[in-house]
Amino acid sequence: MGDSSAGTVLPATAAARDRLVAAAIALATGHGLDDLAGRLRRAAAPDRPASCRVCFLGSFSTGKSHLINQLLGRPMLPVGEPPTTRAVVTVRPGDPAADGAGVRHCDAPWLREADLELIDTPGTDTDPGDAPALVAPGCDVAVVTVRAVGGLNLQERELLRDLALVHRVPVVLVVVTMLDHLRGDPAPVLARARAIAAGVGPAIEVLPGPSGDGAVPARPADLAALRRRLAEAARDDGRAAARDRQIVALLTAACAHMLALAGEVEAARDDAGAARARARIESERATARVRWQALRVDLDDRRRQARARVRAAASAPWDETAAEIGRLAAASADPAACWREEVVPLLRRAAAARLAATGAALDTAFGADAAWLEAGLTGMIGAVAGLDGARAAADVEGALDPPADAVRAARRWGRMLFEGGALALDVALALTPLAPLNVLSVRLWEHLRRRFGGGAEDGRRLVAETAAHVLEGFAAELADGAAERADAMYGRLAEAAEDWHEAWWRTRLALWEDDGEPRARGRRLRFEAGRLAAEAAALAREMGST
């Protein structure tokens, strides 16, 4: 492509961007605005490699590592049950002898020719470090793997929204794995996934996975199509341009924030005025801390209410399921076959539905309480500092990650899984020691089979009693687990909100520190930030025309 191609960033433009970002980081650091400097530093990622980075994300055991192995044509990464990926692993083109911590090298011709990095991540439901938030902002392509059985659940839809709308990853792909586990035509499953993905973001693409065991695909044509799509993304100059525009937009917002801080400091006409202004802001901060503690008390009350809701959802009576099992057992001449062929699938479906209901109860409660806390934080700061809530939120946006980011991080980390998939109970068994559910294992099936020898009537009674035991035990374990998850989610949300609150005041007070004359520092900051803002605006215009 020539320099005039749409979406191409000229080398001179890239150099100007890097220079302005470095100057903004130095300016913010020199005036004690460490939170602002940190955000610019994270966004700019100056050491980012030139290769196209492809991040593989999704719930545990949806086939991320397996799919990477198939793309590479060799078993580079461990796969299997339980989850095998414990940390982020990057596979790059090159000599395997150069492998290091968290980095593997592969000499596969396709990987080298496409100039790709493939990044494997732990399951989004098993990694408290929140892998999407850590790796997605620096990715050019995000591949979200979902099981064919169960489809896109609520957590996966939320992940897609974050990738497309929050992290603004240029290319987001959904790959439907394990299509060979379906009994019928996969076309309806793919059509449904495409309809759901289109509702999240029209640019999100859905592709069939190659399926099959090991590195050899069962559907070679689908593997070839996925390789072509990733290679196309690597050749797309627009991905670099989109990332650069994001950086320049953040730089512009940061300059505006520094100008606002400088203007507040310069408004103090003399040393006495500066001392009074600092004292006023310190007083406002102390008031805000008291009000924040009151918000935390209210949040703790909401946490207890959420615990009660999820416990109630998990412990609801199993009347309909028990009645259906009773009908199945009564109509069966062979209780053992009834248990294996009819009751066990029914128990799996009932458990999946209960997991979904419990997860939805927790998600609904947490979502409402997180929105309440976000509004309360910005409203409280606005009231204390003499700003309206919208101004308080906008005022800090250029300096800090907005409070909504903390909310989303806690929500992703804590969201319940298994919303209705047929494999829900199997997943629950793999994750947690739900002892009563072991009756569904092969070993206990053998134990039950021996007991079914006592006659048809005894067998029917055994079916009903065992099913009731399974459901009661499952509900008890689920209620405890959901309550613990609610505690963890709300605790993380409170910590993130408190960090955000402290950073807001720390940023506002930075120019009023005792070392140096605040008004002189304000004038210098206004001059330098104004110059940077003008250059950033000119750069943004230039990027728009290239």
Side-chain angles (χ1 to χ4, degrees):
M1 289 184 179
D3 285 347
S4 61
S5 299
T8 302
V9 178
L10 304 180
T13 303
R17 173 209 63 208
D18 294 342
R19 177 181 60 79
L20 290 179
V21 170
I25 291 172
L27 181 62
T29 302
H31 286 81
L33 303 173
D34 296 332
D35 296 289
L36 170 58
R39 190 180 187 203
L40 283 168
R41 195 174 290 112
R42 289 191 300 273
D47 57 345
R48 187 186 182 286
S51 300
C52 178
R53 305 185 80 205
V54 183
C55 298
F56 290 76
L57 303 157
S59 302
F60 97 92
S61 292
T62 53
K64 298 182 296 295
S65 303
H66 181 61
L67 181 59
I68 292 175
N69 288 342
Q70 289 186 321
L71 286 166
L72 298 172
R74 61 198 67 185
M76 289 285 298
L77 302 174
V79 297
E81 298 271 2
T84 52
T85 304
R86 305 291 182 183
V88 174
V89 178
T90 300
V91 180
R92 294 174 177 165
D95 184 354
D99 288 356
V103 178
R104 303 286 305 277
H105 291 82
C106 179
D107 56 3
W110 168 78
L111 188 69
R112 182 180 63 255
E113 292 166 6
D115 194 19
L116 295 169
E117 286 190 357
L118 309 183
I119 303 171
D120 194 17
T121 64
T124 52
D125 45 327
T126 60
D127 176 31
D130 193 22
L134 293 175
V135 302
C139 285
D140 302 302
V141 181
V143 175
V144 177
T145 55
V146 301
R147 299 181 187 90
V149 179
L152 279 161
N153 60 35
L154 292 177
Q155 186 199 34
E156 289 160 347
R157 294 177 214 177
E158 184 82 8
L159 173 60
L160 289 176
R161 288 190 191 94
D162 287 342
L163 292 170
L165 304 177
V166 178
H167 300 304
R168 297 190 179 279
V169 177
V171 178
V172 179
L173 306 177
V174 174
V175 175
V176 182
T177 61
M178 307 180 196
L179 288 168
D180 50 340
H181 291 190
L182 297 174
R183 294 182 179 179
D185 183 4
V189 173
L190 292 169
R192 182 172 181 273
R194 289 187 177 107
I196 294 173
V200 176
I204 297 174
E205 303 171 46
V206 177
L207 301 174
S211 300
D213 296 326
V216 179
R219 302 160 62 98
D222 292 334
L223 177 61
L226 180 57
R227 283 176 172 169
R228 284 195 300 273
R229 184 65 188 90
L230 294 177
E232 288 171 6
R235 293 192 297 269
D236 183 9
D237 290 326
R239 61 186 172 86
R243 185 172 62 249
D244 290 335
R245 283 192 291 270
Q246 294 166 14
I247 294 173
V248 173
L250 177 60
L251 173 64
T252 301
C255 290
H257 184 75
M258 287 190 281
L259 286 170
L261 290 173
E264 183 178 35
V265 172
E266 282 193 286
R269 296 181 179 278
D270 50 31
D271 291 345
R276 286 193 299 272
R278 178 185 173 86
R280 172 178 54 79
I281 296 174
E282 289 282 14
S283 176
E284 290 172 354
R285 185 182 193 179
T287 301
R289 281 176 171 164
V290 172
R291 295 192 182 185
W292 162 241
Q293 291 305 317
L295 275 178
R296 286 205 66 157
V297 171
D298 290 344
L299 181 63
D300 199 49
D301 288 339
R302 288 170 178 261
R303 176 191 61 80
R304 285 191 287 270
Q305 293 171 19
R307 278 177 57 98
R309 290 193 192 99
V310 298
R311 278 192 169 278
S315 305
W318 299 94
D319 296 343
E320 291 185 10
T321 303
E324 178 63 18
I325 291 172
R327 286 192 295 271
L328 291 172
S332 175
D334 184 351
C338 175
W339 172 264
R340 187 175 60 252
E341 298 171 8
E342 297 182 285
V343 174
V344 167
L346 177 58
L347 288 173
R348 293 185 189 279
R349 292 193 299 273
R354 183 59 57 86
L355 282 162
T358 305
L362 178 53
D363 188 57
T364 299
F366 183 80
D369 292 341
W372 164 85
L373 181 61
E374 183 180 343
L377 265 179
T378 54
M380 176 265 290
I381 287 178
V384 170
L387 306 171
D388 60 68
R391 165 70 193 282
D395 186 49
V396 79
E397 186 175 357
L400 305 172
D401 295 321
D405 284 4
V407 170
R408 275 188 290 267
R411 193 170 190 173
R412 279 195 303 270
W413 179 76
R415 185 188 294 278
M416 295 291 288
L417 293 182
F418 328 126
E419 291 96 339
L423 298 178
L425 198 52
D426 294 330
V427 177
L429 281 165
L431 279 180
T432 55
L434 301 178
L437 295 183
N438 286 336
V439 296
L440 303 184
S441 70
V442 173
R443 179 171 56 84
L444 286 203
W445 156 245
E446 290 299 322
H447 171 72
L448 279 176
R449 186 174 60 81
R450 289 192 296 270
R451 293 185 63 191
F452 278 131
E457 192 58 38
D458 288 344
R460 294 186 186 99
R461 185 169 56 253
L462 180 60
V463 166
E465 290 174 354
T466 305
H469 176 65
V470 170
L471 294 173
E472 290 170 7
F474 175 72
E477 294 282 354
L478 179 59
D480 290 343
E484 291 175 5
R485 182 60 61 89
D487 286 341
M489 288 173 68
Y490 278 77
R492 181 160 176 168
L493 176 62
E495 290 173 4
E498 183 159 6
D499 289 345
W500 185 89
H501 175 257
E502 286 299 314
W504 196 95
W505 289 101
R506 190 166 56 243
T507 300
R508 190 170 183 216
L509 278 165
L511 296 185
W512 298 96
E513 297 299 332
D514 292 333
D515 55 329
E517 207 278 317
R519 289 182 298 132
R521 296 176 66 190
R523 283 192 294 273
R524 289 195 299 272
L525 179 61
R526 178 175 57 80
F527 175 77
E528 294 295 334
R531 181 179 58 79
L532 284 176
E535 292 190 56
L539 182 59
R541 289 193 296 272
E542 184 178 349
M543 284 183 169
S545 64
T546 58

